[in-house]
Amino acid sequence: MKLIMAVVQDKDSNRLSDALVDKEYQATKLASTGGFLKAGNTTFMIGVKDKDVDHVLEIIKDNCKSREQLVAPISPMGGNADSYVPYPVEVQVGGATVFILPVEQFEKF
Ligand code: 2BA
């Protein structure tokens, strides 16, 4: 068994969860925040059999779009000066950032 953790944009999260339910994969959605943009995104935890990993990756690919996002300067006032971005920058935000982890044991009680 594997645990697929996929960080996706909020805009894609409903479409992806509908597609997973449609194909009868179980998933948990966590509200998360990107460390760089400090904007909300969604992290999916999807536990699957090894043989289903490629199919789930296809579903993620088909439902998550890459987009350009402009990052406005963020004032360091009251925040962390280390992460201050002094000028607007355009970044390409995935798609999806996907981690695939081995699952040692899986139980439901
Ligand atoms: P954020 O950290 O908010 O990053 C959003 C986008 O900003 C990234 O898109 C990337 O294009 C850009 N970016 C991130 N750090 C940067 C930097 N130091 N300099 C310049 N540009 C930078 P994605 O790579 O598609 O990542 C989307 C989201 O996926 C990330 O949001 C983060 O929440 C998650 N993520 C990406 N890589 C990760 C990793 N190695 N570990 C954990 N989470 C990750």
Side-chain angles (χ1 to χ4, degrees), residues 7 33-39 41 91-97 99:
V7 185
T33 304
F36 184 67
L37 294 182
K38 299 181 173 46
N41 52 30
V91 293
Q92 181 94 14
V93 186
T97 300
F99 304 87

Side-chain angles (χ1 to χ4, degrees), residues 70-74 84-90:
L70 200 61
V71 187
I74 303 159
Y84 178 55
V85 182
Y87 48 85
V89 285
E90 198 164 57

Side-chain angles (χ1 to χ4, degrees), residues 36-105:
F36 184 67
L37 294 182
K38 299 181 173 46
N41 52 30
T42 303
T43 300
F44 282 77
M45 287 173 47
I46 314 160
V48 291
K49 293 179 183 145
D50 287 15
K51 69 175 179 58
D52 291 327
V53 169
D54 288 343
H55 186 213
V56 170
L57 292 180
E58 279 303 313
I59 294 171
I60 294 170
K61 266 191 222 163
D62 290 348
N63 287 281
C64 298
K65 286 188 202 147
S66 178
R67 297 181 181 89
E68 297 281 331
Q69 200 161 321
L70 200 61
V71 187
I74 303 159
S75 164
M77 294 280 286
N80 182 355
D82 293 344
S83 60
Y84 178 55
V85 182
Y87 48 85
V89 285
E90 198 164 57
V91 293
Q92 181 94 14
V93 186
T97 300
V98 182
F99 304 87
I100 302 169
L101 297 93
V103 174
E104 196 166 312
Q105 195 170 341

